[in-house]
Amino acid sequence: MPEHKRQNALLPPRRKSKQILIGGVKVGGGAPVVVQSMTSTLTQDITATVRQIKELEEVDCELVRVAVPDIEAARAIKDIKKQISIPLIADIHFDYRLALAALESGADGLRLNPGNIGEPERIKKVVLAAKERGVPIRIGVNAGSLPSRMDSPVKPENDKGVDSRWSLPRTSIRGGNDRRRSIPDRMVDAALAQIRLLESLDFDLIKVSLKAFDVPTTVAAYRAIADKITYPLHIGITEAGPPRTGVIRSSVGIGTLLYLGIGDTIRVSLTAHPREEVIAGWEILKSLDLRQHGPVLVSCPTCGRAEVDIVKLAQEVEAELTRIKKPIRVAVMGCAVNGPGEAKDADVGIAAGKGRAILFKKGRKIGVVEEKDIVRALMREVERL
Amino acid sequence: MPEHKRQNALLPPRRKSKQILIGGVKVGGGAPVVVQSMTSTLTQDITATVRQIKELEEVDCELVRVAVPDIEAARAIKDIKKQISIPLIADIHFDYRLALAALESGADGLRLNPGNIGEPERIKKVVLAAKERGVPIRIGVNAGSLPSRMDSPVKPENDKGVDSRWSLPRTSIRGGNDRRRSIPDRMVDAALAQIRLLESLDFDLIKVSLKAFDVPTTVAAYRAIADKITYPLHIGITEAGPPRTGVIRSSVGIGTLLYLGIGDTIRVSLTAHPREEVIAGWEILKSLDLRQHGPVLVSCPTCGRAEVDIVKLAQEVEAELTRIKKPIRVAVMGCAVNGPGEAKDADVGIAAGKGRAILFKKGRKIGVVEEKDIVRALMREVERL
């Protein structure tokens, strides 16, 4: 499992949050930002679900969520849990019996909005059962399913005129003279209402998410709640779409929040095999230097100065690097302008010229190789590190 | 060409910058953030370069840069310019004669660090020729090729203890007790030195970039320079790598800066056909609601609650949408939990249940369609908008 590293001094400080434990995995309170995903199989189909979770474990997914639409799914969790290595979170809507059954089956976390469950007695049963087992509950507010009663102008419940490190100036969140609550404000209101419900039952193993498809809305909502509560935050962009566009939207939204110091666990939502979500999640964390996870490939975009086929070369090196687990930096550069500088900065790198390349290792030139030998020579040095 | 839209009220205010004109394209001063790219062909090969620029124009690239490694390339610009529709920027290093020749060939912009050209007389010639033609110069500092003389501890030239909207607190940039200048500070120093050189020749058609492969370094450098100068900023992550990882790194870095209000033109650097850079650039701008550019597809990640194959459905809709140019929002949702909410928010959307889907248009349910007819029915409504 990848290691945590010291916070990069160029990043703004991280928001301080309480720590919760989901299974054995720490979330919040200075723990490394956790990568999670959700299965797309029918949870009732134990074989298919276990197979998919194992695929997620292979790419270092750290927490997995499964949908629990019925009692059969809730019971399946017991068998699924026996065959997987990472903690499992049950995603539940409306029916409190599913939450109770999921807890009995050994779910390590719940994603559930208590306000959607109905009668106070039912909520109480679920919360007590979670508390007994030390199982955290994530309150998840989505812009797309805000309670409609909050559609009308309401007196803000928490209107102190925010002015902190994490929040936007009030006017930005309000969007001018609109007297109605903005969507981010309404998302925060909805989350705070759910949180109060749990707190009134003396429950504080809470994690919160406030997702929207719009990045400005999502970031504004998280910034607005960030200093109102100390619970850890699960961040993501909801329904971000297919990989081509969804990865970009998620990277911008999750990346911006993480840069600002907000976010204790991330989920990239893609309309794709969830493996893609985990891979993208790790890349986001690596790009901000928040976690290490396998090699990083620096390669130039190639231009009219390049004298070798850099696209092909980078693809070959990228393919070779998939089997390397070490957190190293490898550079493939195509010219004399930026090449040597970047290649020298890497653990191993090449700066290619006409028909040959200079090989660098830890900032030192260690040789010159023919074009046809570049990949082999580079990989030999990678293996040796 | 895509239209500009009003700033999203949930975004922090944009940094105010001077406006420059590159060809007919406005950069800075409140103009829409401009998407640019760079050719990977040999500039001397006019046919190949023109073909690639036309491919870039097809995906709405707004500015294109070409490498000018020799006099033949500088002269080729004249013929290339005749056959393309977007302004062209010449990328020049070290040799002032190439800059002069590129200007004579009609280049609309130069990317050139005057300090690298050598003798003052040569710099003066280039700057005067650019000024005569009203051609802007981009000063481009890359972390990988910082002047080595700045490697030693130096007295900061601009050490006022920054405390503005755009800057990080001093300590963050400095990285603790290190008495040496941090890389972002050194990048800023290098850019300011180049800027002073141009200003001393009474030249102010300046654009500046400060790129690194590291996102924290890049963001810190831009934040540090943002309130020291008013010139427009060209932003990007340099040598971000092949598309799979490079798109994520670029989205996080460029997205964070744009969210913070920094950046007047963007270039995504990928080791790939530059078309991919332009497509990714547009998606970054769309995700932050800074520009509109064709349809946006909202689709859920699918989970154990979905009763239709959402991945396949979303892929089909995505493929159909490539021929649509209107800036509309289309939703493909797989279940009853978030589906109707998101689908209602879209211009056109479906929320699928077992074997059929509810069709929404502008927030109104307009029908129920069989699974096999979903794509056709959705696209019919898209065409009608």
Side-chain angles (χ1 to χ4, degrees):
Chain A
M1 193 54 53
E3 293 212 346
H4 185 47
K5 49 193 291 301
R6 213 164 144 272
Q7 161 99 359
N8 184 313
L10 294 171
L11 290 174
R14 297 201 64 69
R15 167 182 176 266
K16 286 194 172 44
S17 59
K18 282 190 200 172
Q19 189 166 89
I20 58 170
L21 272 177
I22 302 177
V25 174
K26 292 174 189 169
V27 176
V33 179
V34 171
V35 177
Q36 60 172 285
S37 185
M38 183 170 187
T39 53
S40 58
T41 52
L42 290 176
T43 309
Q44 304 89 319
D45 184 342
I46 295 169
T47 312
T49 302
V50 168
R51 191 190 312 128
Q52 194 173 73
I53 294 175
K54 290 197 169 297
E55 288 167 339
L56 295 178
E57 288 175 355
E58 265 167 41
V59 289
D60 293 325
C61 181
E62 300 178 302
L63 290 174
V64 68
R65 181 158 48 114
V66 302
V68 182
D70 58 29
I71 194 74
E72 204 192 331
R75 289 188 185 132
I77 288 173
K78 194 166 183 179
D79 283 326
I80 295 168
K81 281 276 300 171
K82 284 179 196 155
Q83 302 174 62
I84 63 172
S85 316
I86 55 177
L88 179 148
I89 298 164
D91 191 284
I92 288 153
H93 293 269
F94 314 121
D95 190 341
Y96 82 110
R97 291 165 301 187
L98 302 181
L100 293 176
L103 287 168
E104 271 167 41
S105 293
D108 302 289
L110 294 179
R111 189 275 198 185
L112 163 157
N113 293 342
N116 296 348
I117 282 182
E119 296 166 34
E121 270 316 300
R122 294 176 172 182
I123 298 174
K124 205 169 173 179
K125 273 189 186 156
V126 172
V127 172
L128 286 181
K131 197 176 172 183
E132 242 175 55
R133 292 168 170 84
V135 168
I137 296 177
R138 166 160 68 97
I139 288 166
V141 172
N142 269 18
S145 45
L146 279 172
S148 56
R149 65 178 168 80
M150 306 191 85
D151 243 327
S152 55
V154 292
K155 176 94 188 71
E157 301 197 49
N158 215 311
D159 198 7
K160 293 183 232 151
V162 175
D163 179 1
S164 93
R165 186 152 57 183
W166 317 108
S167 305
L168 286 169
R170 182 95 286 181
T171 47
S172 307
I173 298 186
R174 290 311 168 83
N177 291 323
D178 191 352
R179 300 216 27 176
R180 292 160 61 125
R181 301 280 280 164
S182 72
I183 293 174
D185 281 340
R186 287 166 54 206
M187 293 167 73
V188 170
D189 291 345
L192 292 176
Q194 303 283 341
I195 290 168
R196 276 192 291 267
L197 238 166
L198 292 183
E199 287 175 340
S200 72
L201 296 165
D202 198 27
F203 186 87
D204 69 351
L205 302 175
I206 298 173
K207 193 173 58 161
V208 178
S209 68
L210 299 168
K211 301 186 189 179
F213 174 77
D214 278 307
V215 171
T217 301
T218 307
V219 175
Y222 279 103
R223 291 182 76 179
I225 207 165
D227 61 343
K228 290 194 170 61
I229 60 173
T230 57
Y231 299 116
L233 297 173
H234 160 125
I235 63 172
I237 300 297
T238 198
E239 292 108 23
R244 202 181 59 88
T245 54
V247 159
I248 293 177
R249 184 169 285 269
S250 296
S251 300
V252 171
I254 294 172
T256 298
L257 282 166
L258 288 173
Y259 176 83
L260 294 170
I262 295 172
D264 301 291
T265 173
I266 66 173
R267 186 222 173 170
V268 177
S269 296
L270 298 176
T271 310
H273 189 292
R275 191 198 301 110
E276 301 304 316
E277 301 185 342
V278 176
I279 293 170
W282 277 111
E283 289 300 326
I284 292 171
L285 294 177
K286 284 162 72 177
S287 76
L288 282 163
D289 202 23
L290 287 167
R291 298 278 303 263
Q292 294 187 326
H293 188 255
V296 164
L297 177 56
V298 182
S299 69
C300 78
T302 177
C303 71
R305 279 191 298 265
E307 295 178 297
V308 299
D309 185 346
I310 291 296
V311 174
K312 185 164 156 277
L313 197 59
Q315 280 168 352
E316 285 174 22
V317 172
E318 187 179 37
E320 291 282 335
L321 288 176
T322 56
R323 60 188 168 77
I324 304 294
K325 298 290 177 198
K326 289 174 278 197
I328 51 167
R329 181 180 287 206
V330 179
V332 174
M333 305 295 296
C335 83
V337 173
N338 299 317
E342 284 293 347
K344 269 163 68 183
D345 240 22
D347 293 301
V348 185
I350 60 107
K354 191 158 193 156
R356 43 201 272 177
I358 301 168
L359 192 60
F360 289 94
K361 188 170 184 177
K362 304 271 185 199
R364 241 168 19 86
K365 177 179 159 181
I366 58 167
V368 174
V369 289
E370 296 298 307
E371 184 169 352
K372 66 175 173 37
D373 300 323
I374 291 176
V375 177
R376 211 182 321 152
L378 193 68
M379 289 310 298
R380 195 177 48 226
E381 295 307 324
V382 166
E383 308 272 8
R384 279 187 191 158
L385 279 173
Chain B
M1 194 53 53
E3 294 212 345
H4 185 46
K5 49 194 291 302
R6 215 166 143 270
Q7 160 100 357
N8 185 313
L10 294 171
L11 291 173
R14 298 200 65 69
R15 166 182 175 265
K16 285 194 173 41
S17 59
K18 281 191 200 172
Q19 190 166 89
I20 57 170
L21 271 177
I22 302 176
V25 174
K26 292 174 188 170
V27 176
V33 179
V34 171
V35 176
Q36 61 173 284
S37 184
M38 184 170 185
T39 53
S40 59
T41 52
L42 291 177
T43 309
Q44 303 87 320
D45 184 342
I46 295 169
T47 310
T49 302
V50 168
R51 191 190 311 126
Q52 194 173 72
I53 294 175
K54 289 194 169 297
E55 289 167 339
L56 296 178
E57 289 175 355
E58 265 167 41
V59 289
D60 294 326
C61 181
E62 300 176 302
L63 289 175
V64 68
R65 182 159 46 115
V66 301
V68 181
D70 59 27
I71 194 73
E72 204 192 331
R75 290 187 185 132
I77 290 173
K78 193 167 181 178
D79 283 326
I80 294 168
K81 281 277 300 173
K82 284 180 195 154
Q83 301 175 63
I84 63 172
S85 315
I86 55 177
L88 180 149
I89 298 164
D91 191 285
I92 288 153
H93 292 268
F94 313 121
D95 190 340
Y96 82 110
R97 290 165 301 186
L98 301 181
L100 292 176
L103 288 169
E104 269 167 42
S105 292
D108 302 289
L110 295 180
R111 190 274 197 186
L112 163 158
N113 292 342
N116 297 348
I117 283 182
E119 295 166 33
E121 271 314 300
R122 293 176 172 183
I123 299 174
K124 206 168 171 180
K125 272 189 186 156
V126 171
V127 172
L128 286 182
K131 198 176 170 185
E132 241 175 56
R133 291 167 171 84
V135 168
I137 296 177
R138 167 157 71 96
I139 288 167
V141 172
N142 270 19
S145 43
L146 280 172
S148 57
R149 65 180 168 78
M150 306 191 84
D151 242 329
S152 56
V154 291
K155 177 94 188 72
E157 300 197 47
N158 215 312
D159 199 7
K160 293 184 231 149
V162 175
D163 179 1
S164 94
R165 188 153 55 185
W166 316 109
S167 306
L168 286 169
R170 183 96 284 180
T171 47
S172 307
I173 299 185
R174 291 310 168 82
N177 291 323
D178 190 352
R179 303 218 20 180
R180 291 161 60 125
R181 301 279 279 164
S182 71
I183 293 175
D185 282 340
R186 287 166 53 206
M187 291 167 73
V188 170
D189 291 345
L192 293 176
Q194 302 285 341
I195 289 168
R196 276 192 291 269
L197 238 166
L198 291 183
E199 287 176 339
S200 72
L201 296 164
D202 197 27
F203 187 85
D204 68 351
L205 302 175
I206 299 173
K207 194 173 59 165
V208 178
S209 67
L210 299 168
K211 302 187 188 177
F213 174 77
D214 278 307
V215 172
T217 302
T218 307
V219 175
Y222 279 104
R223 290 183 77 179
I225 207 166
D227 63 343
K228 289 195 170 64
I229 60 172
T230 57
Y231 299 115
L233 297 173
H234 160 126
I235 63 172
I237 300 296
T238 198
E239 290 110 25
R244 203 180 59 86
T245 53
V247 159
I248 293 177
R249 183 168 286 269
S250 295
S251 300
V252 171
I254 294 173
T256 298
L257 282 167
L258 288 174
Y259 176 83
L260 295 172
I262 295 172
D264 301 290
T265 174
I266 66 173
R267 188 224 172 164
V268 177
S269 296
L270 299 175
T271 310
H273 189 291
R275 191 198 300 111
E276 302 304 316
E277 302 185 341
V278 176
I279 293 169
W282 277 111
E283 289 301 327
I284 292 171
L285 295 178
K286 283 163 71 176
S287 78
L288 282 163
D289 202 21
L290 287 168
R291 298 279 301 263
Q292 295 187 327
H293 189 254
V296 164
L297 177 56
V298 183
S299 68
C300 77
T302 181
C303 71
R305 279 191 299 266
E307 295 178 295
V308 298
D309 186 345
I310 292 295
V311 174
K312 186 164 156 278
L313 197 58
Q315 279 168 352
E316 285 175 20
V317 173
E318 188 179 38
E320 291 282 335
L321 288 176
T322 55
R323 60 188 168 78
I324 304 294
K325 297 290 175 196
K326 290 174 278 198
I328 52 168
R329 181 182 286 207
V330 178
V332 174
M333 305 295 295
C335 83
V337 173
N338 298 318
E342 285 292 348
K344 270 163 66 185
D345 242 22
D347 293 300
V348 184
I350 59 109
K354 192 158 191 159
R356 41 201 273 178
I358 301 169
L359 191 60
F360 289 93
K361 188 170 182 175
K362 303 273 185 197
R364 244 170 13 91
K365 177 179 158 180
I366 57 165
V368 174
V369 288
E370 295 299 307
E371 184 169 352
K372 67 176 174 35
D373 300 323
I374 292 175
V375 177
R376 212 182 318 150
L378 193 68
M379 289 309 297
R380 196 177 46 227
E381 295 307 325
V382 166
E383 308 272 7
R384 278 188 192 158
L385 281 173

